[in-house]
């Protein structure tokens, strides 16, 4: 069948429906289910497998872990069964811990994403149904309205003034008009005006279309398959990747060096090899991916409790480091419930005729639901049984007006409603209060004066015009000319009651609010004053159009309100803000917000947004309210702060301990710790770190935006790694020179000091405050204390004997405790100095 429909644009509707074996009434549920099995889900990438077995295997894919497992198997063949079994057990336990945490995290995220799934309207069993876009199949008859994302490559069956944004596929800047037609098979992609393509979106109008191809068989699917498209890497992801490479390089150099020297010193090759690999496991933060997944998933769950759904986990960091939020005013800064203030004639007096025309226009409009038409219909009911709709020219963002052809008895006329400027440009006359029609030229200044008065009061003002028609003929855009202006419709959307407090809360978090609106500058100025934003600098769309990119970049930081902005100017504003060094969030829910949402560092939409906006966003709010955003930002910053804590932990005590052990192994006649003991040390120090996602975060870590800084992390690693090493070598000196410990006692003492100090230092470096002034999370504290107790008791247990440990004297315990206490205080002093010198 597929070969017959490859050039489906060259088929008539009837021919294609026959080839696809579907009726005009659509597929049945049974047919759709069968086709879903035959063609597969309608997605470009295979769903990322997060089943238990796949996730479990992924815990052991690290090259170091694989080599360690191979070496352990080799030692079994060399009859070192006990040690090999211990190493295998520790590696498996570590893997199971990581698996359990990641599996819980992935399931939680999947549930959150299900909340904001995008759906398409399709005919199933002869009725319109909302279908998840991944369940759309070839043969589905879909209904497309303004704002909808096209769910597959389709042939148009019916349409009314449909314009489609195809920029992502063809590069065409302006929306393309579509119509029912049969085109030659060799028609170029951009000229196939009878088709709509997957991934494009409807700008205006309505259409019924039959889906011909889905998923990778679509034009967009072919492009993405060739390019292997994936989301751009965030600053956080890039930082983590570079950090991993950096530690990997250090580890590789150190391990190769240690192994070579141990072989040179004539130590058993397999033991030296296992020691080197165990060191590599200790040096490598192999839990980093799991910890990041756990932290981000935990953060996403907490943010969901605050009505903020995260679609892409890595965007949480950008969300937390955001210092500018751009937003339209409607519904975000205002109540979002538009109310009709008045319907007025050209003299500014109340007019029934103006409201009747506005009501007719709103009642018969079918393009897409909008708050203005809802406000008109809710204001007052009018009996329209005398009227009958003839035709419609839907609203679009270029014309900014909507026309309806109506019949009343034997009279035929067209009513047009829209932005005042766009209405006046198609009017040649004005109807006065007395019902006389006069030339518009003499009334322009009076109309403009009324418009400014209404705008200064904060009212949004629309124009209403009409034109008599000679017959029931269908109307087109060319009929929007020589119309008669009849009056104004003023609308009011009051500011939210708590908006001043919300803006103040954003300011406390270091986030500046920038208003980007299509309303005129007078309305924008009036609203900003009512919200307590006095002395704001305002720039208009026409002024912006005349301004060069360089000039905009110089002024962008001082501008607070952008008024009379065209949809294509939003992206330019956001790019200028980013170039000025800001992390920019953009909050939008309309058809014309998609490009701005893509351009922003953080695209934010709402659950009720147009599909194209919701799809472009990385963060979706379940409630259109800036106060929800404030809580979300706090949770985002908390998540980032806790992720950073693990990075600090992995680069301080753990790294310092392993580095010290590598060094001392060159100067003593035995290995400072056996491979199994190193792995046990690593496992025990991992436990407190696994609870870091639930840790408390100090207020100063969330009170202003923070960004990933790999240089500062390297400085932290070197500084605290050196402090750790100093006390490690004090421990070596104590055990060897003062206490004259044998091999077993040395390893036991070093194991205890290493684990306890690495666990306790977590409580120091988790906060910038003195450790006794910042309360750790309950689970972190329990895990840390538990590990310290287990470490002290362990040498006295039969398991301790198997691991090669032996009990120590009370004096040794007290001296080791003294070293740990001194280390904690030294780390506390170092931390204070570090944060004074390094601004991070």
């Amino acid at each position: 069948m597929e070969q017959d429909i490859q050039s489906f644009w060259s088929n008539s509707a009837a021919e294609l429906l026959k080839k696809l074996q579907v009726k005009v009434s659509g597929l049945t549920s049974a047919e759709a289910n069968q086709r879903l099995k035959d063609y597969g889900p309608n997605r470009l990438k295979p769903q990322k497998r997060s089943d238990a077995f796949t996730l479990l295997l992924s815990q052991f894919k690290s090259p170091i872990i694989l080599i360690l497992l191979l070496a352990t198997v080799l030692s079994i063949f060399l009859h070192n069964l006990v040690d090999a079994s211990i190493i295998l057990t520790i590696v498996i336990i570590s893997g199971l811990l990581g698996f359990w945490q990641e599996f819980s995290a992935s399931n939680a995220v999947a549930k959150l994403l299900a909340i904001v799934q995008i759906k398409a309207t399709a005919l199933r069993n002869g009725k319109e149904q909302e279908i998840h876009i991944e369940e759309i199949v070839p043969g589905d008859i879909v209904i497309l309205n303004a704002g909808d994302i096209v769910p597959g490559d389709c042939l148009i069956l019916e349409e009314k003034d449909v314009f489609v944004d195809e920029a992502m596929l063809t590069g065409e800047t302006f929306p393309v008009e579509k119509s029912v037609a049969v085109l030659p098979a060799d028609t170029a992609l951009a000229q196939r005006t009878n088709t709509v393509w997957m991934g494009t979106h409807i700008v205006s109008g309505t259409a019924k279309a039959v889906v011909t191809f889905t998923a990778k068989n679509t034009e967009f699917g072919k492009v993405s398959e060739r390019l292997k498209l994936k989301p751009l890497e965030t600053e956080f992801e890039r930082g983590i990747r570079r950090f991993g490479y950096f530690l990997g390089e250090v580890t590789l150099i150190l391990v190769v060096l240690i192994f070579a020297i141990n072989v040179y010193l004539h130590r058993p090759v397999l033991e030296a090899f296992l020691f080197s690999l165990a060191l590599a496991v200790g040096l490598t933060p192999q839990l980093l991916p799991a910890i990041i997944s756990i932290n981000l998933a935990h953060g996403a769950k907490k943010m969901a409790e605050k009505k903020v759904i995260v679609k892409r986990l890595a965007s949480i960091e950008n969300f937390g480091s955001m210092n500018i939020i751009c937003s339209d005013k409607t519904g975000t800064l205002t109540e979002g419930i538009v109310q009709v203030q008045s319907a007025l004639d050209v003299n500014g007096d109340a007019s029934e005729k103006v409201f009747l025309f506005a009501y007719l226009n709103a009642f018969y409009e079918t393009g897409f639901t909008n708050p203005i038409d809802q406000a008109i219909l809710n204001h007052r009911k009018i009996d329209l049984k005398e009227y009958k709709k003839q035709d419609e020219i839907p609203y679009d963002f270029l014309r900014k007006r909507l026309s309806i052809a109506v019949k009343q008895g034997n009279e035929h006329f067209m009513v047009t409603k829209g932005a005042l400027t766009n209405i006046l440009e198609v009017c040649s006359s004005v109807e006065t209060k007395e019902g006389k029609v006069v030339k518009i030229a003499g009334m322009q200044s009076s109309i403009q004066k009324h418009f400014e008065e209404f705008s200064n009061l904060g009212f949004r003002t629309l124009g209403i015009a009409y034109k008599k028609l000679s017959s029931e003929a269908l109307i087109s855009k060319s009929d929007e000319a020589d119309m008669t202006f009849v009056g104004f419709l003023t609308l009011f959307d009051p500011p939210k009651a708590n908006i001043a407090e919300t803006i103040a809360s954003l300011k406390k978090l270091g986030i500046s609010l920038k208003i980007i609106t299509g309303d005129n500058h007078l309305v924008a100025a009036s609203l900003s004053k009512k919200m307590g934003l006095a002395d704001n600098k305002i720039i208009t769309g026409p002024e912006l159009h005349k301004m060069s990119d360089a000039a905009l970049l110089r002024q962008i930081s001082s501008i607070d309100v952008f008024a009379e902005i065209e949809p294509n100017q939003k992206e330019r504003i956001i790019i200028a803000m980013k170039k000025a060094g800001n992390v920019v969030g953009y909050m939008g829910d309309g058809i014309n917000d998609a490009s701005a949402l893509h351009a922003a560092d953080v695209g934010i939409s709402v659950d009720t947004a147009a599909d194209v906006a919701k799809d472009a966003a990385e963060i979706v709010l379940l409630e259109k309210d800036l106060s929800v955003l404030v809580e979300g930002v706090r949770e985002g910053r908390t998540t980032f702060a806790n992720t950073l804590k693990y990075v600090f932990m992995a680069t301080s005590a753990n790294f310092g301990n392993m580095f010290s052990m590598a060094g001392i192994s060159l100067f003593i006649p035995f290995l400072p710790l056996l491979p199994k003991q190193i792995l046990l040390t690593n496992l025990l120090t991992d436990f407190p770190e696994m609870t870091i996602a639930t840790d408390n975060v100090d207020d100063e870590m969330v009170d202003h935006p923070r960004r990933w800084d790999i240089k500062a992390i390297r400085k932290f690693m070197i500084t605290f790694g050196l402090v750790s090493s100093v006390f490690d070598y004090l421990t070596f000196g104590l055990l060897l020179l003062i206490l004259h410990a044998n091999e077993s006692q040395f390893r036991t003492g070093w194991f205890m000091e290493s684990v306890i100090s690495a666990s306790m230092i977590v409580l120091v470096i988790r906060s910038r405050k003195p450790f006794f002034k910042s309360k750790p999370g309950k689970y972190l504290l329990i895990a840390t204390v538990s590990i310290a107790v287990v470490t002290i008791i362990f040498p006295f247990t039969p398991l301790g004997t198997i691991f090669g440990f032996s009990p120590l004297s009370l004096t040794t315990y007290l001296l080791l405790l003294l070293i740990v206490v001194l280390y904690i205080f030294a780390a506390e002093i170092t931390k204070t100095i570090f944060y004074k010198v390094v601004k991070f």
Side-chain angles (χ1 to χ4, degrees):
M1 183 176 73
E2 283 195 17
Q3 287 185 339
D4 294 340
I5 59 171
Q6 281 300 323
S7 303
F8 64 92
W9 53 91
S10 64
N11 289 258
S12 67
E15 289 171 345
L16 188 60
L17 290 174
K18 187 176 180 181
K19 289 177 180 178
L20 288 168
Q21 300 171 6
V22 62
K23 298 174 183 175
V24 180
S25 58
L27 298 170
T28 65
S29 296
E31 288 171 335
N33 289 336
Q34 184 56 50
R35 293 191 187 203
L36 191 61
K37 291 176 185 175
D38 294 342
Y39 295 100
N42 183 26
R43 51 175 172 249
L44 298 179
K45 293 180 182 176
Q47 194 167 29
K48 190 175 179 182
R49 293 187 66 186
S50 57
D51 59 88
F53 185 67
T54 308
L55 209 54
L56 181 60
L57 286 181
S58 72
Q59 305 302 315
F60 304 98
K61 67 182 181 182
S62 159
I64 293 171
I65 295 291
L66 291 174
I67 295 169
L68 181 62
L69 289 172
L70 286 171
T72 309
V73 170
L74 180 62
S75 69
I76 291 173
F77 283 107
L78 296 175
H79 308 294
N80 194 353
L81 188 61
V82 176
D83 280 10
S85 301
I86 291 170
I87 291 171
L88 276 175
T89 303
I90 293 172
V91 170
I92 289 167
I93 290 171
S94 293
L96 288 173
L97 281 172
F99 157 73
W100 173 65
Q101 295 271 23
E102 277 202 83
F103 187 66
S104 302
S106 64
N107 284 345
V109 173
K111 287 175 185 174
L112 294 179
L113 289 177
I115 297 171
V116 291
Q117 286 177 338
I118 293 170
K119 296 185 177 181
T121 304
L123 293 179
R124 294 274 175 94
N125 303 316
K127 295 179 181 178
E128 290 186 14
Q129 293 182 29
E130 292 286 305
I131 309 291
H132 187 274
I133 210 158
E134 291 190 359
E135 295 173 8
I136 293 292
V137 295
D140 259 324
I141 307 291
V142 292
I143 310 300
L144 301 170
N145 293 300
D148 289 350
I149 290 175
V150 179
D153 288 357
C154 310
L155 182 76
I156 293 174
L157 304 177
E158 299 172 16
E159 59 81 26
K160 180 60 183 173
D161 297 304
V162 169
F163 281 78
V164 181
D165 184 340
E166 296 185 339
M168 67 186 301
L169 197 61
T170 65
E172 176 58 51
T173 308
F174 295 103
V176 179
E177 189 170 10
K178 298 290 182 174
S179 59
V180 177
V182 177
L183 300 173
D186 60 355
T187 304
L189 180 70
Q191 274 75 54
R192 294 172 196 166
T193 53
N194 62 342
T195 59
V196 285
W197 308 103
M198 183 181 188
T200 62
H201 71 270
I202 310 298
V203 174
S204 65
T206 58
K208 182 189 283 187
V210 58
V211 177
T212 311
F213 292 112
T214 57
K216 291 181 181 179
N217 295 322
T218 63
E219 291 296 328
F220 186 58
K222 292 169 190 172
V223 172
S224 65
E225 188 68 13
R226 283 198 300 271
L227 300 178
K228 297 292 181 186
L229 294 176
K230 63 179 182 178
L232 288 173
E233 198 174 41
T234 66
E235 185 180 30
F236 177 65
E237 289 173 311
R238 190 162 51 251
I240 289 289
R241 179 171 52 78
R242 288 177 179 172
F243 173 66
Y245 286 157
F246 169 67
L247 283 187
E249 288 165 8
V250 172
T251 301
L252 184 63
I253 293 166
L254 201 61
V255 166
V256 170
L257 199 62
I258 295 299
F259 176 66
I261 293 172
N262 272 284
V263 170
Y264 176 75
L265 294 173
H266 304 295
R267 289 173 182 166
V269 174
L270 182 60
E271 191 175 69
F273 186 50
L274 281 170
F275 175 72
S276 301
L277 287 173
L279 269 183
V281 172
L283 284 166
T284 308
Q286 70 269 26
L287 271 184
L288 186 61
I291 294 287
I292 289 170
S293 296
I294 295 157
N295 269 340
L296 294 180
H298 183 268
K301 282 196 283 185
K302 296 290 284 182
M303 289 168 77
E305 290 171 13
K306 309 290 186 183
K307 300 183 180 179
V308 179
I309 303 298
V310 180
K311 286 174 59 185
R312 185 183 174 201
L313 291 182
S315 64
I316 288 178
E317 191 274 337
N318 275 355
F319 193 52
S321 58
M322 178 174 70
N323 68 317
I324 286 179
I325 178 71
C326 301
S327 175
D328 189 3
K329 61 179 188 60
T330 307
T332 309
L333 310 177
T334 62
E335 291 293 350
I337 305 168
V338 181
Q339 301 166 21
V340 173
Q341 177 68 20
S342 54
L344 308 167
D345 61 24
V346 290
N347 296 325
D349 298 322
S351 169
E352 280 297 315
K353 185 173 185 178
V354 171
F355 184 73
L356 170 64
F357 279 5
Y359 193 91
L360 284 167
N361 186 283
F363 185 83
Y364 289 121
E365 184 270 329
T366 57
F368 62 95
T369 306
N370 65 84
I372 291 175
D373 287 338
Q374 285 298 120
I376 295 168
L377 298 176
N378 294 337
H379 184 65
R380 183 155 48 90
K381 302 295 179 189
I382 295 179
D383 184 2
L384 298 181
K385 64 183 178 184
E386 294 180 15
Y387 299 90
K388 185 179 179 184
K389 178 183 175 181
Q390 301 294 305
D391 200 10
E392 174 180 0
I393 308 172
Y395 180 90
D396 66 57
F397 294 100
L398 298 175
R399 291 164 41 252
K400 293 187 178 178
R401 53 182 178 257
L402 163 71
S403 294
I404 303 286
V406 179
K407 177 184 177 184
Q408 183 192 21
N410 295 322
E411 286 189 29
H412 304 276
F413 58 94
M414 180 175 77
V415 178
T416 303
K417 171 181 98 264
L420 184 65
T421 306
N422 299 69
I423 292 293
L424 291 175
E425 71 184 21
V426 296
C427 291
S428 58
S429 58
V430 173
E431 184 175 296
T432 65
K433 186 178 182 179
E434 295 77 26
K436 293 180 180 178
V437 175
V438 299
K439 293 288 182 184
I440 197 168
M443 300 289 290
Q444 287 277 19
S445 60
S446 173
I447 292 170
Q448 184 62 30
K449 184 180 176 184
H450 284 305
F451 173 64
E452 289 178 8
E453 287 173 6
F454 304 145
S455 297
N456 281 323
L457 292 170
F459 299 143
R460 185 174 181 182
T461 306
L462 301 184
I464 309 292
Y466 74 98
K467 179 181 184 178
K468 291 185 178 180
L469 302 173
S470 57
S471 66
E472 293 186 18
L474 298 179
I475 56 174
S476 66
K477 290 175 186 176
S478 61
D479 290 309
E480 291 180 335
D482 293 324
M483 300 190 73
T484 300
F485 181 76
V486 70
F488 310 92
L489 186 74
T490 60
L491 303 140
F492 182 59
D493 185 8
K496 286 185 183 286
N498 64 341
I499 192 62
E501 291 87 343
T502 302
I503 292 170
S505 298
L506 283 171
K507 203 166 186 177
K508 282 181 184 175
L509 289 170
I511 301 173
S512 302
L513 173 66
K514 307 285 186 181
I515 300 172
I516 302 178
T517 178
D519 285 346
N520 73 74
H521 68 285
L522 297 171
V523 172
S526 173
L527 180 73
S528 61
K529 284 177 185 173
K530 288 175 183 173
M531 293 190 303
L533 299 173
D535 304 319
N536 275 341
K537 184 175 179 182
I538 299 176
I539 190 170
T540 65
E543 290 170 341
L544 188 66
H545 184 69
K546 295 173 186 174
M547 193 179 287
S548 69
D549 288 344
L552 177 61
L553 189 60
R554 285 195 299 273
Q555 295 187 41
I556 197 77
S557 299
S558 63
I559 302 167
D560 302 297
V561 179
F562 300 83
E564 301 170 33
I565 296 299
E566 298 290 333
N568 58 355
Q569 291 179 316
K570 294 178 181 179
E571 186 177 0
R572 186 182 172 209
I573 292 166
I574 288 164
I575 289 169
M577 288 179 183
K578 287 171 69 176
K579 283 182 179 177
N582 300 295
V583 177
V584 184
Y586 179 80
M587 190 168 173
D589 63 353
I591 303 162
N592 58 353
D593 287 319
S595 62
L597 287 164
H598 277 298
D601 292 298
V602 188
I604 305 162
S605 194
V606 290
D607 192 34
T608 54
D611 283 352
V612 66
K614 202 158 66 169
D615 184 60
E618 293 168 308
I619 307 279
V620 178
L621 308 184
L622 298 183
E623 194 174 298
K624 192 174 181 181
D625 193 332
L626 272 186
S627 60
V628 171
L629 195 68
V630 170
E631 292 302 319
V633 168
R634 289 184 187 278
E635 288 299 339
R637 290 182 184 174
T638 298
T639 301
F640 178 55
N642 279 338
T643 304
L644 211 54
K645 285 177 192 177
Y646 174 74
V647 173
F648 285 163
M649 292 167 192
T651 55
S652 54
N654 282 14
F655 195 85
N657 286 346
M658 297 300 163
F659 195 81
S660 302
M661 193 163 18
I664 196 66
S665 70
L666 307 179
F667 303 104
I668 57 176
F670 55 88
L671 293 176
L673 281 183
L674 297 173
K676 60 186 176 185
Q677 295 168 340
I678 296 173
L679 292 174
L680 179 65
T681 301
N682 194 48
L683 177 66
L684 292 175
T685 54
D686 279 345
F687 271 96
E689 292 163 2
M690 280 190 166
T691 64
I692 204 69
T694 61
D695 191 24
N696 299 327
V697 173
D698 298 334
D699 289 340
E700 61 261 34
M701 290 303 291
V702 297
D703 63 7
H704 69 276
R706 295 182 188 277
R707 300 179 76 167
W708 182 265
D709 187 345
I710 192 73
K711 289 181 181 176
I713 292 168
R714 282 178 183 169
K715 289 175 183 175
F716 189 96
M717 175 179 172
I718 293 166
T719 304
F720 284 85
L722 286 173
V723 172
S724 175
S725 288
V726 166
F727 285 89
D728 291 339
Y729 281 97
L730 272 177
T731 306
F732 298 150
L734 171 72
L735 293 169
L736 292 171
L737 304 177
I738 297 174
L739 298 173
H740 305 290
N742 59 32
E743 284 185 30
S744 175
Q745 291 169 337
F746 178 89
R747 286 169 180 159
T748 305
W750 166 232
F751 163 76
M752 291 178 64
E753 191 276 341
S754 178
V755 174
I756 293 171
S757 66
S759 300
M760 291 299 171
I761 203 67
V762 167
L763 303 179
V764 175
I765 62 177
R766 58 167 291 278
S767 169
R768 298 187 180 206
K769 294 179 181 178
F771 71 89
F772 49 85
K773 287 187 177 180
S774 177
K775 185 182 176 183
K778 179 176 70 174
Y779 296 111
L780 176 63
L781 186 61
I782 290 170
T784 303
V785 173
S786 299
I787 290 301
V789 171
V790 166
T791 305
I792 291 168
I793 296 170
F794 194 74
F796 296 93
T797 64
L799 205 56
T801 306
I802 294 171
F803 271 86
F805 296 128
S806 57
L808 301 174
S809 66
L810 181 61
T811 304
T812 306
Y813 274 116
L814 291 174
L815 289 171
L816 289 174
L817 177 64
L818 178 63
I819 287 176
V820 171
V821 170
L822 288 173
Y823 174 41
I824 289 170
F825 279 103
E828 190 63 56
I829 293 165
T830 304
K831 179 179 73 175
T832 305
I833 297 167
F834 180 83
Y835 285 119
K836 282 181 180 177
V837 175
V838 180
K839 301 300 177 187
F840 178 49

